[in-house]
Structure formats: structure tokens, C-alpha cells
């Protein structure tokens, strides 16, 4: 089984090393991890962003599954680039797995980024937009997409010391994929 | 043509009215707009989030196209719930259109949310994560998904006075859909 390894760790300075560690974990379970091309192509080259997009899309098309790192990124929710890829793979009817290294709920995290108040029996942010409050880790579309197209979001009981490098929850997703018939 | 109308305006107090306005614009062009169910079902009912997910997924499956509102939401990037739906529709090979009422680039906006510095020739945020800097409106996966599966992201020249209620850019997406053979 080929698994597309999506996540905002492509933006870390040691992105390639993390990708290699993830691919090595996949190999231990007899699976093949495919890393996005974001750090392989020269970002300064003409048309680099299109080349990365086309390469990543082709890699998703070739993969049987995705493991999406939905750890919150620059705000209360997951990285939209990763979320796009999760949606794409769900649309392609591939196996969808995901994890977040932050076990808090979306409602709890939103309070760290904006003033949340109650208005007419619902929670709203500083712009007056409702805060989704189902006790889920993130927007219901991603969380239930995992329930429907793979298995429930994997989260640790406690946030690990190094949220961007801890691969315990990732490995649980790999174990789930390896057990699939 | 049936168009799924995705966007974080489902979180506004007047979400249903905005949805009705969008559907009326679609009708003027001979198209049918389908609004997500987030505000139709009672959020306090048991299993409400699952029911909303299943309803929205079925509506996307029934639609021929999506118009995604990618206006930045609670951070520098688009609403992950909307982005998930864009990815899902791209994966289903449907027509993918999108707009943002904020014409700034992702790099410009990120500076409003985190300290951006240069490190080793690349822009990084306060956590040390690289800031994508291709001069695009958002993460390259969504922006080029629109190029590939529909048409380029529609943005206004200037941010409208009411970023959540101005439907000018939305109507341009509808016009594009109506012109499709």
C-alpha cells in the first residue's frame, strides 16, 4: 500500500529528515510512504509552485491512502494545504487517516486566538462568526471525513513535548493502515 | 448545473439569508445553488455534527460544481472546512471555482498573525515554520487546484467594505460556471 504523507511539517527546516523518518516507519510495517515534493523542487525556479502542485497531485493519484497531519497550524485549525489533500483523497475514495498532536478541542483552541463570547445561546468570535462547538478536534467536515473514509482522528492523551517531531500518533495511523485487508 | 456553495459564512448570524442571496444569483444565471446544511439542522440534537457531514457530502455528490469562499478565516489562510470541500470536489472531478474577498497575498497576511523573519534566505514564522512565498493568495495546493480543475481564484482589486457580505466576486464565479458548455 502506498500512503501519501501530508502535513505542515513540509514547512520545517528539517522537513526532509522528518519525511525520511515517516517513510522508514511505513517500511517497518511493509508500506510505502510518499512525501510531498515541496522541499525537493527549487522554490526560486520559474513555475515552481505549479510543478509542486502537479507533482503532489500525481503522487496522490498514485497513492492508495493518505495520512494527514492535522495538528493546528497558524491558528486554531489544521493547515489548509493538508486539509485540501485530505479532501482530494476522500473524493478519490482512497483510505483517509489523520492525526493531530494537539488533543484539545477546536472550541478550546479558538479562545487562544480570538475573544469568544456567548451570543443568543451560541459561541461567537470577535468578528461575530460562530465557533463550531461539537466538542470535536476541528471542523466537523474533516473529523467526520476520517470516520467515514478511514478511522477516527488519532490524538495523544497529552500534547507531546515536541509537537512537530513526535511521530507516535503518526505511527498509530500506519499501524491501522497495515491492518487493513 | 447544480453548484455546492461552500464558505465560512455558514458561521455568520445571517447565514441563511446569505445562502438565499447566493442561490438567487445562481438562479438568475439558470443555475441551481445548493447551500450546506450547517444552519438547517439543530446543533443541539444528538448526532448533529454527523448528520451535517453526511448531508453535506451527499449534496456535494449530487452537485456538478463547487464555488468555494476562500476569504481568510481566523488566521492567514482559508477556512479548513471549506478547503476540505474544495479538495473533495476536485477529487470527484467536479468543476472547482473559488473566490476570496481579500486580495492580499498569503505572505502579506501571515505577517499580521505572526512575526515573520528571514532565515537562511527563506521567510519563517515565530515557530520556525517556512512561510510559503510564491506571491499567491493562499497555499499553492488550493490556488493551483482552481487553475487545474476550474478557473483562477477570483479576487477583487480592493477589499470590499463588508468582506463577509459582498457577493461581487462570488457572482463572477457564477458567470464563469454559466458560460461552461
Amino acid at each position: 500500500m502506498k500512503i501519501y504523507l501530508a502535513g505542515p511539517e513540509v514547512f520545517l527546516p528539517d522537513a526532509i529528515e522528518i519525511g525520511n523518518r515517516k517513510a522508514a516507519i511505513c517500511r517497518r510495517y511493509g508500506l510505502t510512504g510518499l512525501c510531498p515534493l515541496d522541499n525537493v523542487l527549487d522554490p526560486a525556479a520559474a513555475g515552481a509552485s505549479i510543478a509542486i502542485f502537479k507533482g503532489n497531485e500525481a503522487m496522490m493519484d498514485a497513492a492508495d491512502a493518505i495520512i494527514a497531519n492535522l495538528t493546528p497550524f497558524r491558528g486554531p485549525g489544521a493547515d489548509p494545504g493538508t486539509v485540501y489533500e485530505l479532501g482530494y483523497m476522500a473524493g478519490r475514495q482512497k483510505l483517509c487517516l489523520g492525526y493531530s498532536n494537539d488533543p484539545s478541542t477546536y472550541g478550546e483552541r479558538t479562545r487562544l486566538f480570538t475573544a469568544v463570547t456567548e451570543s443568543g445561546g451560541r459561541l461567537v468570535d470577535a468578528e461575530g462568526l460562530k465557533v463550531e462547538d461539537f466538542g470535536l478536534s476541528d471542523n466537523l467536515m474533516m473529523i467526520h471525513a476520517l470516520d467515514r473514509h478511514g478511522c477516527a482522528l488519532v490524538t495523544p492523551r497529552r500534547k507531546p513535548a515536541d509537537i512537530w517531531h513526535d511521530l507516535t500518533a503518526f505511527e498509530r495511523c500506519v499501524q491501522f493502515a497495515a491492518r487493513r485487508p
Side-chain angles (χ1 to χ4, degrees), chain A:
Chain A
M1 182 190 285
K2 290 186 203 150
I3 307 180
Y4 184 77
L5 306 177
E9 62 267 21
V10 296
F11 302 122
L12 284 171
D14 55 348
I16 292 177
E17 189 194 322
I18 298 171
N20 289 342
R21 283 177 54 210
K22 283 184 156 187
I25 291 172
C26 290
R27 272 195 301 279
R28 284 215 312 273
Y29 290 89
L31 307 172
T32 305
L34 305 176
C35 293
L37 292 176
D38 299 57
N39 296 288
V40 177
L41 300 173
D42 175 9
S49 68
I50 285 266
I52 294 169
F53 169 81
K54 286 186 178 171
N56 289 351
E57 189 176 83
M59 208 181 277
M60 288 193 284
D61 289 342
D64 309 293
I66 182 172
I67 297 179
N69 178 358
L70 298 178
T71 302
F73 173 76
R74 279 184 203 144
D79 166 39
T82 300
V83 168
Y84 172 83
E85 297 175 327
L86 176 64
Y88 184 82
M89 292 296 270
R92 297 295 308 258
Q93 310 281 331
K94 308 285 179 92
L95 176 66
C96 293
L97 306 172
Y99 67 99
S100 167
N101 274 341
D102 186 330
S104 63
T105 67
Y106 184 78
E108 287 163 355
R109 282 198 309 279
T110 301
R111 290 166 201 273
L112 305 176
F113 291 92
T114 174
V116 175
T117 52
E118 202 175 312
S119 168
R122 52 196 228 163
L123 301 176
V124 296
D125 70 11
E127 278 197 273
L129 291 150
K130 188 172 66 181
V131 179
E132 223 186 63
D133 188 30
F134 292 111
L136 301 174
S137 298
D138 209 321
N139 182 288
L140 70 89
M141 291 306 296
M142 288 99 78
I143 299 306
H144 291 318
L146 293 172
D147 296 333
R148 159 101 174 75
H149 299 284
C151 77
L153 181 79
V154 175
T155 52
R157 223 168 279 183
R158 284 187 199 173
K159 201 193 267 201
D162 188 336
I163 201 164
W164 293 118
H165 291 87
D166 190 293
L167 297 181
T168 313
F170 169 77
E171 185 162 349
R172 281 176 54 200
C173 291
V174 175
Q175 288 167 341
F176 183 90
R179 281 197 305 267
R180 293 278 290 198

